[in-house]
């Protein structure tokens, strides 16, 4: 039985399920990509896979099942990798979990000018107010999106922040994987 809090929205439930899974793996993990498939459709069209995933007939009918994809290639920028993805019609949505360093909005005015990408990354990593965060972002073909943020400093299921606009840039990049 999952410890994922019950959420009214199937997309939010999927995001929290992925966050819980990622949390169980610990921190300092690579980014992970998931296909989101309609649970009822999966049970009817792929019963063997559904059974392997533990999706018996008592599982909810309106839910989404996350299916982890192959590893994201190391060393390839995430935006470049996402630009190469095309999903089959059976995939209702996708999700990504990734760890990053985050600064409070007040630090924006402190950013030194003329830093290249590597210099900015080092500046953020050395900043005393940096926070390590795990972001789980999901989008559906119809444009719905949701996300969860978990701070390493407050690593508990009750401290996970959810919302549809928490990571808009990443949500947009994931949504672009469904554009033709």
């Amino acid at each position: 039985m999952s410890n994922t809090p019950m959420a009214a929205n199937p997309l939010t439930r999927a995001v929290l399920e992925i966050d819980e899974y990622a949390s169980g793996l610990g921190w300092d993990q690579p980014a992970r990509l998931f296909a989101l498939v309609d649970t009822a459709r999966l049970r009817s069209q792929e019963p063997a896979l559904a059974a392997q995933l533990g999706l018996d007939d008592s599982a909810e009918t309106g839910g989404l099942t996350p299916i982890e994809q192959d590893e994201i290639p190391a060393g390839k920028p995430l935006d470049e990798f996402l630009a190469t993805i095309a999903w089959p019609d059976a995939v209702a949505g996708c999700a990504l979990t990734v760890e990053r360093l985050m600064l409070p909005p007040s630090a924006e005015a402190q950013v030194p000018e003329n830093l290249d990408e590597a210099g900015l990354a080092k500046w953020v990593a050395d900043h005393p107010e940096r926070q390590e965060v795990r972001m789980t972002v999901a989008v559906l073909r119809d444009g719905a999106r949701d996300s969860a943020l978990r701070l390493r400093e407050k690593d508990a299921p009750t401290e996970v922040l959810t919302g549809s606009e928490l990571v808009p840039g990443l949500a947009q990049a994931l949504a672009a994987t469904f554009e033709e």
Side-chain angles (χ1 to χ4, degrees):
M1 175 61 93
S2 170
N3 293 322
T4 303
M6 187 50 114
N9 178 324
L11 186 56
T12 304
R13 284 195 300 273
V15 164
L16 290 172
E17 183 179 331
I18 294 167
D19 172 76
E20 179 184 13
Y21 168 75
S23 176
L25 298 172
W27 286 87
D28 304 318
Q29 296 292 315
R32 295 177 188 278
L33 182 67
F34 298 82
L36 299 176
V37 296
D38 178 89
T39 302
R41 183 175 176 184
L42 178 63
R43 273 199 308 264
S44 70
Q45 294 180 354
E46 298 286 344
L49 178 58
Q52 184 181 354
L53 295 172
L55 302 173
D56 59 21
D57 290 335
S58 66
E60 70 175 279
T61 56
L64 295 165
T65 298
I67 300 175
E68 188 169 3
Q69 303 300 291
D70 291 335
E71 255 184 54
I72 295 173
K76 186 168 191 169
L78 191 56
D79 57 340
E80 288 179 21
F81 170 72
L82 291 175
T84 67
I85 295 175
W87 297 103
D89 291 340
V91 174
C94 66
L96 181 80
T97 184
V98 63
E99 297 175 14
R100 292 291 185 257
L101 292 177
M102 185 175 78
L103 293 176
S106 59
E108 196 171 309
Q110 304 168 10
V111 178
E113 291 184 31
N114 302 322
L115 284 180
D116 62 9
E117 193 171 325
L120 180 60
K122 180 172 177 8
W123 183 81
V124 170
D126 293 340
H127 197 283
E129 294 179 82
R130 75 185 177 286
Q131 292 281 328
E132 290 179 76
V133 63
R134 181 181 303 118
M135 302 175 283
T136 302
V137 180
V139 299
L140 296 180
R141 283 183 186 275
D142 68 8
R145 48 181 72 181
D146 211 338
S147 52
L149 292 179
R150 182 186 291 248
L151 295 174
R152 189 172 192 158
E153 179 178 278
K154 296 181 178 185
D155 191 3
T158 57
E159 296 290 335
V160 176
L161 180 64
T162 60
S164 62
E165 295 298 324
L166 295 177
V167 193
L170 186 51
Q172 184 57 41
L174 289 173
T177 66
F178 291 101
E179 295 172 2
E180 294 186 25

